[in-house]
Amino acid sequence: MISGINHITIAVSDLERSLQFYRDVLNFSAHVRWNEGAYLSVGNLWFCLSCDEPCPKSDYTHIAFDVSSTEFEVYASRIVSLGVEVWKKNKSEGQSLYILDPDGHKLELHVGSLESRLEELKRKPYDGLVWL
């Protein structure tokens, strides 16, 4: 039985550039690197960069990372000031910054949780919402 996410691996075209982005811009902890990849972590999440040919998607698929409400404004402002590309404006509950990594992977920096989203849906349900 699945108990959670073990790790996330993303394809990167330039290991040094991606390592710099995730370590120095997003403040992930870097642990090891080798010719074809690197292991980082953020919170309890194991995050792997793997050299390959990325295939950025044009759909809404993205990875969202937790940011505390007390740190969001300063953190988001710093990232935007570094010239990181924003791919979407936030329209949902909770503060969010939607950004692209150097290979065009869609990321979200988000304040909130499943519980806060469900509470918001009680107040403003999506079209066709069904509680399961």
Side-chain angles (χ1 to χ4, degrees), residues 32-52:
V32 297
R33 62 158 294 177
W34 61 97
N35 290 347
E36 296 298 316
Y39 289 150
L40 301 95
S41 63
V42 59
N44 292 323
L45 176 65
W46 169 15
F47 197 80
C48 176
L49 305 176
S50 182
C51 292
D52 200 350

Side-chain angles (χ1 to χ4, degrees), residues 26-81:
L26 297 187
N27 298 324
F28 284 29
S29 295
H31 300 284
V32 297
R33 62 158 294 177
W34 61 97
N35 290 347
E36 296 298 316
Y39 289 150
L40 301 95
S41 63
V42 59
N44 292 323
L45 176 65
W46 169 15
F47 197 80
C48 176
L49 305 176
S50 182
C51 292
D52 200 350
E53 191 172 324
C55 301
K57 310 252 312 162
S58 60
D59 66 12
Y60 187 62
T61 301
H62 65 281
I63 302 169
F65 298 103
D66 285 325
V67 178
S68 74
S69 59
T70 58
E71 297 175 343
F72 182 82
E73 288 300 329
V74 170
Y75 188 61
S77 294
R78 180 181 147 271
I79 289 169
V80 170
S81 75

